[in-house]
Amino acid sequence: MIVLDKRKEELAEIADVDEPLFIEVDYKVETRIGKIMFSNELIEDAAVNVVDYSKKQMKRMVKNTNNKNILAILSKFTATVATDTDGLKNVINVQLDPELDIKLLVNQDAYNYLDTLKDVEGRYLLQPSLSAPSGKQFAGHDVIVVSNKVAPTPKDTVGFIFIGDLEEACILFKRKEITAEWEKFDSYSKGLAVGVRSDYKQVDPEAGFVVNLNPVAEGEETPQTK
């Protein structure tokens, strides 16, 4: 937490701000790129538009690449244990700075679990949201869902859950997204390429937690929060 500690006397010069306003992050952009070739015979004779379909899939590859590398950063954040939704609220209300823009990033397994929970009156705990990519909120905070393939479910948990400020937690250095399309006359073929020049780094290690949600079965002891 940064604050203004220096008091200014009347008519005195304003002091410099000593607190760091920025977190310095070293990065090294790397180029990730791939290509695919089609014979023009295939393009002409196929029942579907193979070029348009491939462009769509290659665009997904870039998105999946970014998600995979960002999740690799988020999964290294400090882990904490919760046994119920009150435990998730404790992370939000107590363990994280309330000044953060807190969101829940969950995989499909965790989302499915949370989306089926109801309160004592039978109302679903996840509420509709116009701002959340998933269309749902938990305790007033947007829920974002990623694939189980990108964020596998940790052992003995309901699914992968990260709670925190995503922009403060991780940064994507994207210098350029690459797309190319060309004709190769001597082989009567067409080429497509897609790539990204990027790097992925942690920013503030206190901006979030990986939450291992493991509901306690009746008769079991509640595990201690780490």
Side-chain angles (χ1 to χ4, degrees):
M1 181 176 68
I2 58 175
V3 296
L4 290 171
D5 268 342
K6 292 185 176 179
R7 294 175 174 81
K8 177 191 168 305
E9 298 295 333
E10 186 176 354
L11 297 180
E13 291 289 330
I14 298 174
D16 294 333
V17 174
D18 291 333
E19 292 279 2
L21 300 180
F22 301 94
I23 298 176
E24 294 185 5
V25 179
D26 293 328
Y27 66 94
K28 181 180 179 182
V29 172
E30 295 180 336
T31 302
R32 298 168 173 84
I33 192 168
K35 67 178 181 180
I36 186 171
M37 298 294 298
F38 301 101
S39 70
N40 281 338
E41 290 89 347
L42 172 63
I43 295 171
E44 294 164 4
D45 299 341
V48 297
N49 190 323
V50 294
V51 173
D52 285 351
Y53 179 79
S54 297
K55 288 179 180 179
K56 180 180 179 181
Q57 292 298 99
M58 294 172 91
K59 188 174 182 179
R60 288 182 61 191
M61 287 175 64
V62 172
K63 182 178 180 180
N64 289 340
T65 299
N66 289 334
N67 286 344
K68 179 180 179 181
N69 284 280
I70 289 171
L71 264 296
I73 299 295
L74 297 181
S75 64
K76 295 177 182 178
F77 272 71
T78 301
T80 187
V81 176
T83 59
D84 52 25
T85 54
D86 285 347
L88 299 182
K89 291 180 180 179
N90 179 267
V91 176
I92 295 170
N93 297 337
V94 179
Q95 298 187 50
L96 287 170
D97 188 331
E99 294 296 324
L100 294 172
D101 182 15
I102 298 173
K103 292 180 173 63
L104 284 77
L105 188 146
V106 302
N107 71 355
Q108 292 168 279
D109 287 338
Y111 178 76
N112 183 63
Y113 176 81
L114 294 174
D115 197 37
T116 58
L117 294 179
K118 299 178 181 179
D119 62 19
V120 293
E121 297 181 4
R123 297 171 299 190
Y124 286 105
L125 294 182
L126 292 190
Q127 296 297 310
S129 168
L130 295 177
S131 60
S134 67
K136 298 290 180 67
Q137 284 187 341
F138 173 80
H141 299 275
D142 288 352
V143 177
I144 302 168
V145 185
V146 296
S147 168
N148 284 346
K149 294 180 180 179
V150 175
T153 296
K155 184 180 179 181
D156 298 327
T157 71
V158 301
F160 178 84
I161 301 175
F162 176 88
I163 301 180
D165 189 323
L166 297 176
E167 292 187 2
E168 293 290 333
C170 179
I171 186 169
L172 162 60
F173 295 98
K174 186 167 74 173
R175 286 292 169 263
K176 188 176 183 181
E177 189 170 317
I178 306 158
T179 57
E181 182 176 343
W182 67 95
E183 298 281 350
K184 192 172 182 182
F185 179 77
D186 57 358
S187 62
Y188 196 54
S189 61
K190 186 182 192 69
L192 300 174
V194 67
V196 62
R197 298 191 64 243
S198 58
D199 194 13
Y200 314 82
K201 295 292 184 182
Q202 184 186 77
V203 181
D204 183 355
E206 297 182 354
F209 288 93
V210 173
V211 183
N212 294 320
L213 179 58
N214 184 9
V216 176
E218 188 174 350
E220 292 183 356
E221 294 184 359
T222 303
Q224 297 297 314
T225 301
K226 295 180 180 181

